[in-house]
Amino acid sequence: VKACIIDTGYGRGHPDLPNNNLITGFNPYGSGEWFVDGDGHGTHVAGTMAAVGGNSVGVVGVTSKANMPLHIGKGLTDSGTGTTSGVLDAMRSCVENGAKVVNMSLGGGGPSSAVESFLTGLEDDGTNVLFVAAAGNGGGSSYSYPASYDSPLVMSVAAVNSNSVKASFSQYNDQVDIAGPGVNVKSTVTTSSGASFSYATWGGTSMASPHVAGVAALIWSHHPTKSAAEIRLALECSAVMPQQYGNVVRNNDVGYGVVNAKNALDMLDSNNFDGCPGTAPTTAPTPFSCSPNEDLLEIRIKTDQYPTETGWTLTNTCSGTVVANTPEGTYNTGNTVYSDAVCVPTGGAYSFLITDSFGDGICCSYGEGFYNVLKNDVSMIGGGQFGTDETKTFGQCGPTPPTPAPPTPPTPAPQTPAPT
């Protein structure tokens, strides 16, 4: 199965990257070469996907085989910027050259009608291709494109750290499908405007996306007759939901969870998709029901090795009333998930204070504790690394206004790599 990388180019000649006749490329711009990466971003992405394994050099890519066909679309210039038309030309080149999986660690601006028409045409033609894109590094809930196009051919990837905690910079919204490692990722890079080769440790959803794209290409190579829809379903259904989110099937932080190559391949090998998204309930059953005019707030705490040190208070900041609390000394079992729930009037703003009497939080010196506050099974706030205390807020007083759709710019927005 051929994969394609749309980015700043490819550091051909890097000792840890494939360099053979299976690597092709395309540059839509008037200057530069697809096989020269003057920025380094595209080469970092390429290393995560395809760095050669077993050569006693550097890093190992997800596919780790030098014989995986790669097509490079230099949709971004050596300065790290590009245009919507340039990125679209690179997308076309990927498809025309037979790529099944296309990684796009770039984003910004608003949606493009030209890109939307291109994706719709591929859908109508039944083209088996999957575009895997970085969700964005703004840290908020805004949409970034191409990740947020509402297309069955596009997957939006969030970033998590090594403890499967969503990275603070990772954008979260209802288009996020899945998550991948995106914090402290070491990979191949170019230096000296592409003339030299090295390694660097970077972070961003740009680093998470090629993990997912690499897994997609890997499992598809084992089952080349599968459709893009089946590959996407296997990725989503086999993803591992981080423990702090409980039994929810999907959320805006990490989508269906963190990508897992073995789970996805096992699912395709067995051809058993029972209970996958679309057939499974969209939310987990709750221990009790609230009335139609109430919201269900659930507080989940995983203790570290010293549970008695942890306490918390949830306050309605509109009325100033404490709606739930657990004093320090209440929890008595370490490394255990505790859950409390309360029904509250719809809407409202809340402040969550968590304390640790020793002053080292609940992660990660003496365990991997966490806290997570959910409203109607959707994560609102969470964390675990703090000192003596930490306060986070969510909601607002009064009715919640509808969230406006992202505006369509009068001209196509420039595309830039997700910041690292």
Side-chain angles (χ1 to χ4, degrees):
V1 169
K2 179 180 286 188
C4 186
I5 300 171
I6 299 178
D7 216 291
T8 57
Y10 182 79
R12 192 172 69 179
H14 195 295
D16 212 10
L17 287 178
N19 184 8
N20 52 42
N21 58 7
L22 296 177
I23 314 299
T24 57
F26 167 76
N27 177 21
Y29 302 108
S31 60
E33 302 285 353
W34 67 263
F35 51 83
V36 176
D37 181 3
D39 180 86
H41 191 274
T43 301
H44 196 284
V45 168
T48 297
M49 285 185 67
V52 180
N55 61 349
S56 301
V57 174
V59 296
V60 178
V62 176
T63 59
S64 71
K65 298 292 183 182
N67 61 353
M68 184 183 79
L70 271 179
H71 187 71
I72 308 300
K74 196 178 175 80
L76 302 173
T77 66
D78 287 333
S79 65
T81 62
T83 63
T84 299
S85 60
V87 171
L88 179 55
D89 285 344
M91 293 171 71
R92 290 195 180 100
S93 178
C94 292
V95 175
E96 290 169 357
N97 281 273
K100 296 288 190 181
V101 179
V102 181
N103 186 79
M104 303 181 72
S105 289
L106 51 86
S112 159
S113 59
V115 175
E116 288 177 328
S117 297
F118 174 67
L119 292 170
T120 300
L122 295 178
E123 294 171 35
D124 293 343
D125 293 341
T127 304
N128 272 317
V129 63
L130 198 58
F131 295 92
V132 181
N137 296 343
S141 60
S142 61
Y143 295 114
S144 178
Y145 296 88
S148 295
Y149 285 114
D150 191 12
S151 166
L153 304 182
V154 178
M155 294 186 73
S156 176
V157 182
V160 296
N161 66 16
S162 58
N163 293 316
S164 293
V165 175
K166 184 186 80 68
S168 59
F169 55 75
S170 185
Q171 285 171 222
Y172 53 91
N173 50 59
D174 57 7
Q175 289 297 328
V176 172
D177 296 289
I178 199 167
V183 178
N184 295 328
V185 178
K186 184 178 182 180
S187 188
T188 51
V189 294
T190 56
T191 57
S192 303
S193 300
S196 302
F197 308 110
S198 187
Y199 298 87
T201 299
W202 291 349
T205 54
S206 282
M207 284 64 253
S209 184
H211 280 93
V212 175
V215 171
L218 179 67
I219 64 174
W220 213 338
S221 68
H222 284 266
H223 295 272
T225 62
K226 293 293 186 182
S227 67
E230 289 173 305
I231 296 300
R232 176 175 183 154
L233 185 61
L235 291 170
E236 293 175 342
C237 191
S238 65
V240 178
M241 182 62 70
Q243 189 178 20
Q244 61 265 35
Y245 297 107
N247 295 322
V248 295
V249 175
R250 184 189 178 280
N251 61 62
N252 289 352
D253 283 356
V254 296
Y256 291 99
V258 181
V259 66
N260 187 290
K262 184 180 185 303
N263 288 357
L265 186 58
D266 287 346
M267 182 167 289
L268 289 174
D269 288 344
S270 65
N271 200 34
N272 182 2
F273 293 89
D274 291 345
C276 287
T279 59
T282 56
T283 58
T286 54
F288 60 93
S289 298
C290 297
S291 71
N293 295 323
E294 292 180 316
D295 290 326
L296 173 64
L297 298 183
E298 184 180 1
I299 301 91
R300 294 177 184 158
I301 306 289
K302 182 181 179 182
T303 56
D304 61 9
Q305 296 176 22
Y306 300 94
T308 59
E309 298 173 355
T310 302
W312 57 266
T313 302
L314 181 67
T315 303
N316 184 318
T317 55
C318 304
S319 63
T321 58
V322 173
V323 297
N325 79 301
T326 295
E328 292 175 356
T330 302
Y331 298 136
N332 53 25
T333 305
N335 301 312
T336 299
V337 178
Y338 290 86
S339 177
D340 292 273
V342 60
C343 293
V344 297
T346 300
Y350 296 88
S351 172
F352 180 77
L353 166 68
I354 186 167
T355 61
D356 183 90
S357 60
F358 190 75
D360 63 347
I362 53 178
C363 183
C364 303
S365 299
Y366 299 98
E368 296 183 356
F370 62 77
Y371 67 88
N372 191 229
V373 181
L374 302 92
K375 183 173 77 172
N376 300 327
D377 292 318
V378 176
S379 175
M380 296 287 104
I381 56 172
Q385 291 182 280
F386 57 94
T388 301
D389 59 73
E390 182 171 67
T391 300
K392 289 189 177 181
T393 60
F394 63 95
Q396 63 179 31
C397 300
T400 302
T403 302
T408 302
T411 57
Q415 301 284 324
T416 60
T420 59

